[in-house]
Amino acid sequence: MAASGVALFARIGEDEGAAGDVYPSGRYDPEAAARYFSRRPLQTLRRFAAIAGPSAGFGARVALDVATGNTQTNEATRAAELLAILAALGPTFIKVGQALSIRSDLLSEAYCEALATLQDACPPFDDAEARALIAAELGVGRAADVFDELTPTPIASASLGQVYRGYVDDGDERVRVAVKVQRPDVAETIALDLHLLRVVGAPLRKIANLNTDLVGIVDAWGVRFVDELDYRREAKNARNFIDSISQTPLADAVFAPKPVEAASSRRVLATRWVDGQRLDADVGADDDTARKRVSALCGVAMNAYLTMMLETGLLHADPHPGNLIVEADTGRLAILDWGLVTELDPGLQVAYIEHIAHLVAKDYASVPADLVKLGFVPEGYEEAIAGGDAVQVLSDVVGQMRALADRQGNLFRLPPYFAYIARAFSVLEGIGLQNDPDYAIVGECLPYVSQRLLSDPSPRVAAAL
């Protein structure tokens, strides 16, 4: 069992031979997955049939809507059906649905809204199995050799794993922790699903005459999904945020729960427990003080995400309200769950600052070149995009992104990183607007952007200022 701490993927039935690692490098590798599952045809065919049945039925109903002119009439119904199908197909498709919920360039508003409600929850697996996995991963005889007073059952359960609460020694301190334990079979399931999605991606693109690179989208998902299964990466992401945010004016306002290294591994993660409530818990409260506190904390969150986006370069990409907790005794904002992140290199950060400056200054002639630098438009298409309506739409970018992609799909694309940025800010703005109809995202962000322009020594940033 101890070897499973190194092995990323679970074993399959004896009828198809002993399983090794799907990805020997520990990172997403579609060629390695193709070799691995080519030796396991029965497993692959069974899963393909489980996916193909409901998918084909849904596709037929959508095709009938198109043929009969009932697409808009039945769109909300079809979106609800898709939601149910993805939830039933398990963790990969729950993650796919969550990723698609922010791709307004690919799906209509009805589908995006439905998928945004997709809950990553499912029944817990056996507690004895979870404790055995903890012991094997941490190299001890029993889970109790590391964790004291571990809750007898999970306090939360999701598609990738489940969470317990307990106590552990962290240096000279005995601290309360959240203990996340990965499901034993989830990694190979995700690897097989990604392999099958990749196999059907290219022919589906041709059949449907799509401009979108479906295989490229699956590969982008694959990198993130597989990285999210390695809890050591999640711990590293949290530590990086803790270190970087401590060097900013937000050091006393926002934090990530500290990982406990000695009690963590690839498939077990212990982080310090945070007592508090969700950021949106007081939304709409009768207490004026509580509403003001929510608005202030939304501002803190906005500026924390701007700092990640334009300064530290590591952006938390899963900002749903359950991951934003207000600490009870300090009022600080805790950002949980660092498994899903996206990285922005320094050149991209400066390009964003330049783009903001050009829009604010109404220097629309510079916008086409900005769009190339930011990855929205392929290099060499600046003149073509300048001749259309992209510049006008980009001054109101988030609200009309899908319309632009529909009209100029051969020129305009949404880079994957931008979808996560848009999601983060739309979630935070949504909480702010629920709490205060006059909440303005620009008012929260402008002070930070101004400070960033004034303090950055880069000649490009100085020119933008």
Side-chain angles (χ1 to χ4, degrees):
M1 185 70 174
S4 66
V6 177
L8 179 61
F9 295 97
R11 300 194 177 278
I12 61 171
E14 293 181 358
D15 61 323
E16 297 190 83
D21 291 352
V22 178
Y23 307 129
S25 68
R27 304 299 301 275
Y28 175 69
D29 182 345
E31 285 75 24
R35 292 191 297 270
Y36 182 90
F37 291 113
S38 69
R39 300 192 296 272
R40 293 160 176 80
L42 294 179
Q43 179 190 11
T44 304
L45 287 171
R46 283 195 296 266
R47 183 57 178 164
F48 178 78
I51 297 169
S55 301
F58 176 76
R61 292 189 293 276
V62 171
L64 182 62
D65 289 343
V66 172
T68 58
N70 289 319
T71 299
Q72 289 188 332
T73 303
N74 294 334
E75 193 170 50
T77 300
R78 298 292 172 253
E81 291 175 357
L82 178 61
L83 189 70
I85 290 170
L86 295 177
L89 287 174
T92 310
F93 291 88
I94 290 172
K95 293 291 181 185
V96 166
Q98 291 171 336
L100 285 173
S101 71
I102 56 175
R103 293 302 303 267
S104 59
D105 59 319
L106 299 178
L107 298 177
S108 70
E109 184 177 356
Y111 280 96
C112 289
E113 287 181 354
L115 293 177
T117 68
L118 190 61
Q119 297 298 306
D120 188 2
C122 58
F125 64 93
D126 183 68
D127 289 302
E129 192 172 10
R131 281 167 164 73
L133 191 147
I134 290 172
E137 287 285 311
L138 302 182
V140 296
R142 303 175 305 147
D145 293 337
V146 177
F147 298 107
D148 295 330
E149 301 179 39
L150 204 63
T151 50
T153 57
I155 59 173
S157 176
S159 59
L160 298 187
Q162 56 200 38
V163 178
Y164 297 83
R165 184 173 55 233
Y167 290 86
V168 71
D169 292 328
D170 187 13
D172 296 331
E173 294 182 86
R174 183 175 184 265
V175 297
R176 189 157 58 152
V177 290
V179 183
K180 183 159 65 171
V181 186
Q182 191 173 117
R183 289 182 180 273
D185 58 349
V186 70
E188 187 167 357
T189 298
I190 287 178
L192 177 53
D193 289 347
L194 289 168
H195 169 64
L196 292 173
L197 287 172
R198 202 174 190 275
V199 167
V200 302
L204 181 61
R205 181 184 182 184
K206 289 182 179 179
I207 292 170
N209 193 29
L210 299 175
N211 185 57
T212 304
D213 179 6
L214 296 181
V215 172
I217 289 176
V218 172
D219 286 344
W221 288 339
V223 171
R224 286 181 165 82
F225 293 175
V226 173
D227 281 357
E228 195 173 356
L229 291 169
D230 187 345
Y231 291 168
R232 297 171 303 182
R233 291 185 180 278
E234 182 173 344
K236 181 181 178 182
N237 294 336
R239 289 195 308 272
N240 286 344
F241 176 76
I242 291 168
D243 292 342
S244 61
I245 207 71
S246 69
Q247 307 301 315
T248 74
L250 294 171
D252 296 326
V254 63
F255 71 103
K258 179 186 174 185
V260 181
E261 307 290 337
S264 300
S265 70
R266 182 190 290 271
R267 297 199 293 169
V268 175
L269 176 62
T271 57
R272 295 204 178 194
W273 184 263
V274 179
D275 274 317
Q277 64 182 22
R278 288 165 48 132
L279 174 59
D280 62 350
D282 288 331
V283 164
D286 293 333
D287 182 356
D288 188 56
T289 301
R291 290 200 305 274
K292 288 181 179 179
R293 183 168 61 248
V294 172
S295 293
L297 286 166
C298 282
V300 169
M302 286 280 189
N303 283 281
Y305 275 84
L306 279 169
T307 300
M308 288 185 261
M309 174 182 162
L310 298 178
E311 207 162 324
T312 68
L314 185 73
L315 184 76
H316 180 272
D318 195 14
H320 64 76
N323 282 339
L324 301 169
I325 304 296
V326 182
E327 192 175 34
D329 57 348
T330 67
R332 295 187 303 165
L333 182 69
I335 302 178
L336 312 183
D337 197 351
W338 288 84
L340 185 62
V341 300
T342 191
E343 296 184 33
L344 287 83
D345 63 59
L348 195 61
Q349 292 172 319
V350 173
Y352 254 110
I353 293 171
E354 290 175 329
H355 180 56
I356 292 168
H358 292 152
L359 290 177
V360 170
K362 298 184 180 181
D363 179 11
Y364 298 134
S366 299
V367 169
D370 292 343
L371 298 182
V372 172
K373 293 176 186 176
L374 293 171
F376 287 96
V377 176
E379 190 171 357
Y381 282 83
E382 294 92 333
E383 291 186 10
I385 206 76
D389 61 353
V391 169
Q392 180 180 350
V393 171
L394 258 293
S395 59
D396 187 17
V397 62
V398 175
Q400 301 200 37
M401 196 65 75
R402 181 176 178 272
L404 180 61
D406 286 345
R407 291 195 299 275
Q408 299 195 2
N410 60 323
L411 301 178
F412 190 81
R413 62 193 180 194
L414 275 185
Y417 73 86
F418 182 81
Y420 290 102
I421 292 170
R423 178 186 183 186
F425 284 96
S426 64
V427 166
L428 295 170
E429 185 182 34
I431 295 172
L433 288 171
Q434 288 176 49
N435 184 66
D436 176 5
D438 296 324
Y439 185 84
I441 188 173
V442 173
E444 299 296 341
C445 297
L446 190 58
Y448 171 82
V449 173
S450 300
Q451 176 269 331
R452 181 75 169 80
L453 286 169
L454 288 167
S455 61
D456 195 304
S458 164
R460 286 175 61 186
V461 174
L465 175 63

